[in-house]
Amino acid sequence: MSINSEGMITAPETSSSISLPTPSKTSKRVAYYYDQDVGNYTYYLGHPMKPHRIRMAHNLIVNYGLADEVEEDAPDPEGDGKRQLNDLEIFSNGNGSAPENKFFKNSLSGSRSKSMQVFRPHRATKAEMTRFHTDEYIEFLENVTPELAEEMTGGGVRCLIGEDCPAFDGLFEFCSISAGGSLGAAERLNSGAADIAINWAGGLHHAKKTEASGFCYVNDIVLGILELLRIHPRVLYIDVDVHHGDGVEEAFYTTDRVMTCSFHRFGEFFPGTGDVRDIGMKRGKNYAVNVPLRDGITDESYQSIFKPVIQHIMDWFRPGAVVLQMGADSLSGDKLGGFNLTLDGHGECTSFVKSFGVPVMMLGGGGYTTKNVARAWTNETAVMCGRTLSEDLPYNQYMEYYGPRYKLEVLANNTDDHNPTEYLDKIRTQVIDNLRNLPHAPSAQMSHVPGQPISRMIGLTKESDLKDPDDELDDRVKKYILSKNLNGTYAQNASDDEDVPMNGDSDQDDAAYSLPGRSRRQGGTGPRRRLPARIVNGKRSTGNGNGHGNDESEDEDDDPCGAKGNRKKKRSFFNKSSTGVQGIVNKKLNGIATPYGYGNSNGTTTVTIGNGGVVEFWKDSGGISRGESPMSMA
């Protein structure tokens, strides 16, 4: 036995030598994201979009052994297949310490075996969703219910338009699962712990910034691409769904950092966009690639245009990462599609993109014949893992769906191909000419982005544990107020003998301390209010209306506010002389109390402060300030 240059074990003494794949350091590290709750949701009875198809695909993936760990020291507890989801239980020995084994180390750096790592993604938060969508739209998704949908959408003309996107129970949770898986996959690629990340619950490419469209509510693809752009200067998006990826193209239509390439059915077909002449605008001109196709396209015709276009894009654009949307509605026999692709033709797109050696995030999308969706996504998961699956399906929970043949196959039908060679050549030539107009691969100035905390990466903390920044700011403000008010000490109010919390929330506290003396400064006539009691040096001091406090202690030496106390001078609104304020009396003139001066015959009050100090004139009849005090005329 010997190992040849390709890393294969061979037996040179016989012509029929066996070749076995051996794990190597160049093996692709695959991260697979799945949340078992995703199959619990339903749009409504009879709706073509069925989230249950994701659970069917996962069950078939598990029973094919793609979720099994090749390494001998991997855990083998109960769970989906032989491989438990990477959660908190795996990362501790019960006492908080991390187990010292190969599996634990691979969970951080990424396994290089032929199998893939399985992760349960965190649920996306509202703050993460609003990286693309508006705050109002995400708030709407969180609060809408089937009963309130008619009222909240204005009769179906806002946010949820038409019957394609109904308001169903658990809508926001479903969106958080889809978006969380794509964000987790992007973060995994950014950290360098995986070469390929898979999220079959994602790929909802029709959702817009402020509205749902085409069965899609939150555009997880855009969120994932935005996360990838934190590390990679250029990202390529490839869409093989039978429908045009209008939501993603619209989001990046004016930027050169993201190139969108969509292969779709064009004509009188939803959403009606994606003409070959739609190439982007402004800075993003020529960075939107659309390949409109006709009904009945076969594997051979599809690959004759898919491979040349993708090859030219990779040569000219040179992306740092690829987002691959593998909508299964382009398969033969789909309820809503019109293409005639087999399982092999659909999976060949995955194999070709993988061959470039660029980090790939692979997502789901459309697909409305559930048994074919499960077959296709299982086969493409195996392609990314470098595994070849048996044609005979293993026993699984949904075995009756795959009858009567029970094979891993999607066969072509007898639909006519309306894509002649001349038409495909014309489309291919026009697309490649547009790509040649690109001056060069665009670059972007990048800066270091701090990575995820180690506690977050190993599952000790979750995103849900983090508080909203606004809430955190409120907490800090409250703590500051408490510290200024002697750590929230309760004092006895001297005026009405009620407990007043010293945390800034009391109306009495606010009125007394917010703007001290404002009414008196503006000539107000209201009674002087006694301030709430304060605790000073362990003793209670009550406000007496003149800015000084009366201590309970009868000892004048211990009185902090007494004559012998070491207290600060109170600031005065006026510059007082050594003789103090002259003429401070309360006199009633024309029915108006004037606390500071003497009335004149012309209806004004003159106030003289000090020896030749400030002179103010107050009008007894006329304007009144917001504090209901006479307005100054000086």
Side-chain angles (χ1 to χ4, degrees), residues 9-308:
I9 303 175
T10 61
E13 60 274 5
T14 61
S15 57
S16 58
S17 58
I18 10 181
S19 33
L20 300 174
T22 58
S24 64
K25 293 299 181 182
T26 59
S27 301
K28 298 296 183 183
R29 299 166 297 167
V30 182
Y32 173 84
Y33 287 84
Y34 173 73
D35 192 310
Q36 65 271 21
D37 293 335
V38 71
N40 297 337
Y41 304 96
T42 178
Y43 283 46
Y44 59 77
L45 186 63
H47 195 283
M49 172 64 88
K50 302 184 185 301
H52 180 67
R53 66 205 173 119
I54 304 168
R55 179 175 288 171
M56 290 178 58
H58 175 73
N59 192 264
L60 195 58
I61 289 170
V62 166
N63 285 279
Y64 259 117
L66 295 175
D68 295 348
E69 182 60 59
V70 174
E71 298 160 349
E72 296 179 357
D73 56 353
D76 189 15
E78 62 277 0
D80 290 328
K82 297 180 181 179
R83 182 74 141 65
Q84 190 183 22
L85 299 181
N86 294 352
D87 207 354
L88 184 59
E89 298 83 12
I90 294 180
F91 295 111
S92 64
N93 287 327
N95 55 2
S97 62
E100 293 295 334
N101 56 32
K102 191 174 182 180
F103 172 76
F104 174 71
K105 296 176 182 178
N106 284 341
S107 66
L108 300 181
S109 62
S111 175
R112 293 185 180 273
S113 63
K114 286 294 183 181
S115 61
M116 63 184 180
Q117 292 183 291
V118 185
F119 295 93
R120 180 183 293 113
H122 75 280
R123 305 287 178 89
T125 63
K126 292 196 299 183
E128 290 175 332
M129 294 182 188
T130 53
R131 294 176 185 175
F132 170 62
H133 298 281
T134 61
D135 295 346
E136 295 78 12
Y137 177 61
I138 298 301
E139 288 285 348
F140 170 86
L141 292 181
E142 186 181 29
N143 297 322
V144 70
T145 62
E147 295 78 16
L148 299 176
E150 184 72 15
E151 178 182 355
M152 295 182 66
T153 61
V157 298
R158 188 177 74 89
C159 295
L160 304 183
I161 301 175
E163 298 181 356
D164 286 351
C165 302
F168 57 88
D169 292 328
L171 170 60
F172 185 78
E173 289 78 9
F174 174 74
C175 295
S176 66
I177 291 174
S178 172
S182 296
L183 285 171
E187 291 172 359
R188 192 74 177 172
L189 294 178
N190 283 347
S191 66
D195 303 310
I196 298 168
I198 303 172
N199 175 36
W200 293 127
L204 306 180
H205 57 171
H206 292 305
K208 307 298 193 302
K209 192 179 186 69
T210 59
E211 69 179 38
S213 174
F215 314 155
C216 307
Y217 299 87
V218 172
N219 202 316
D220 64 285
I221 304 175
V222 175
L223 296 176
I225 292 176
L226 291 175
E227 181 67 24
L228 290 173
L229 289 175
R230 297 174 65 244
I231 300 297
H232 304 282
R234 295 175 300 279
V235 176
L236 170 63
Y237 170 69
I238 303 174
D239 192 321
V240 300
D241 195 289
V242 73
H243 301 93
H244 176 234
D246 56 335
V248 183
E249 180 182 277
E250 179 182 313
F252 301 108
Y253 204 62
T254 59
T255 179
D256 59 357
R257 292 191 62 192
V258 179
M259 176 173 282
T260 59
C261 179
S262 178
F263 299 83
H264 53 272
R265 180 181 171 187
F266 186 71
E268 296 181 358
F269 193 66
F270 180 86
T273 56
D275 191 276
V276 68
R277 293 168 293 183
D278 297 336
I279 58 175
M281 61 184 297
K282 297 182 179 178
R283 191 173 180 179
K285 187 175 182 180
N286 294 320
Y287 289 95
V289 178
N290 287 293
V291 183
L293 303 172
R294 299 174 181 173
D295 295 350
I297 190 168
T298 61
D299 292 348
E300 183 179 358
S301 299
Y302 197 91
Q303 296 303 324
S304 68
I305 192 170
F306 180 85
K307 291 184 177 180

Side-chain angles (χ1 to χ4, degrees), residues 519-520 524-531 543-547 584 586 595-596:
S519 178
R520 293 191 297 276
T525 62
R528 296 183 180 180
R529 185 176 183 179
R530 301 185 66 181
L531 302 182
N544 57 8
N546 60 3
I584 304 298
N586 287 329
Y596 292 131

Side-chain angles (χ1 to χ4, degrees), residues 481-497:
I481 294 175
L482 289 175
S483 64
K484 298 296 288 185
N485 291 329
L486 303 177
N487 297 325
T489 305
Y490 279 77
Q492 195 74 17
N493 191 309
S495 61
D496 52 9
D497 294 330

Side-chain angles (χ1 to χ4, degrees), residues 329-625:
D329 49 5
S330 52
L331 287 169
S332 173
D334 189 82
K335 293 180 181 179
L336 298 184
F339 287 173
N340 198 14
L341 299 181
T342 66
L343 196 67
D344 294 335
H346 198 264
E348 182 64 23
C349 300
T350 305
S351 179
F352 186 71
V353 172
K354 178 188 175 183
S355 65
F356 291 98
V358 178
V360 177
M361 180 167 69
M362 189 164 65
L363 307 173
Y368 310 102
T369 303
T370 56
K371 59 182 180 181
N372 289 346
V373 173
R375 287 182 172 119
W377 290 351
T378 300
N379 177 66
E380 284 143 20
T381 302
V383 170
M384 289 301 192
C385 294
R387 301 273 293 274
T388 302
L389 302 180
S390 171
E391 189 178 17
D392 296 325
L393 294 178
Y395 179 79
N396 60 86
Q397 187 177 353
Y398 307 100
M399 197 68 182
E400 65 276 7
Y401 282 74
Y402 306 104
R405 290 175 56 84
Y406 305 101
K407 300 286 186 181
L408 186 68
E409 62 182 11
V410 177
L411 302 177
N413 54 36
N414 57 357
T415 303
D416 293 335
D417 186 359
H418 297 279
N419 296 270
T421 306
E422 297 79 11
Y423 173 75
L424 295 178
D425 290 343
K426 181 180 178 180
I427 295 293
R428 181 172 59 249
T429 301
Q430 187 168 352
V431 168
I432 293 176
D433 287 343
N434 292 336
L435 292 174
R436 286 174 179 167
N437 292 329
L438 297 178
H440 51 78
S443 60
Q445 185 175 1
M446 308 295 290
S447 59
H448 175 69
V449 178
Q452 295 291 335
I454 187 66
S455 59
R456 168 78 183 280
M457 294 183 65
I458 66 177
L460 294 178
T461 60
K462 299 181 180 179
E463 188 68 24
S464 58
D465 298 334
L466 302 178
K467 292 185 177 181
D468 188 85
D470 294 337
D471 296 337
E472 184 180 354
L473 180 60
D474 291 341
D475 291 342
R476 292 176 60 186
V477 171
K478 289 181 179 179
K479 289 180 180 179
Y480 175 77
I481 294 175
L482 289 175
S483 64
K484 298 296 288 185
N485 291 329
L486 303 177
N487 297 325
T489 305
Y490 279 77
Q492 195 74 17
N493 191 309
S495 61
D496 52 9
D497 294 330
E498 292 182 357
D499 287 335
V500 180
M502 311 299 285
N503 57 2
D505 295 334
S506 171
D507 294 337
Q508 184 177 2
D509 225 17
D510 293 341
Y513 288 101
S514 58
L515 293 175
R518 181 181 65 180
S519 178
R520 293 191 297 276
R521 291 199 303 268
Q522 295 181 351
T525 62
R528 296 183 180 180
R529 185 176 183 179
R530 301 185 66 181
L531 302 182
R534 299 286 180 176
I535 304 299
V536 180
N537 294 334
K539 299 177 182 180
R540 186 175 65 187
S541 174
T542 58
N544 57 8
N546 60 3
H548 304 295
N550 295 329
D551 197 288
E552 289 185 55
S553 173
E554 297 179 359
D555 189 354
E556 190 177 11
D557 293 337
D558 296 335
D559 185 2
C561 298
K564 296 183 180 181
N566 186 16
R567 61 179 178 85
K568 292 183 179 180
K569 288 185 178 181
K570 185 179 178 181
R571 291 184 180 180
S572 174
F573 180 71
F574 300 105
N575 294 324
K576 293 187 289 188
S577 64
S578 58
T579 59
V581 180
Q582 297 180 355
I584 304 298
V585 297
N586 287 329
K587 189 172 182 180
K588 191 130 183 129
L589 292 177
N590 298 326
I592 298 179
T594 59
Y596 292 131
Y598 300 93
N600 297 327
S601 59
N602 59 359
T604 63
T605 300
T606 304
V607 181
T608 303
I609 305 297
N611 297 325
V614 180
V615 178
E616 285 203 4
F617 297 94
W618 297 87
K619 189 174 181 179
D620 292 345
S621 62
I624 301 298
S625 71

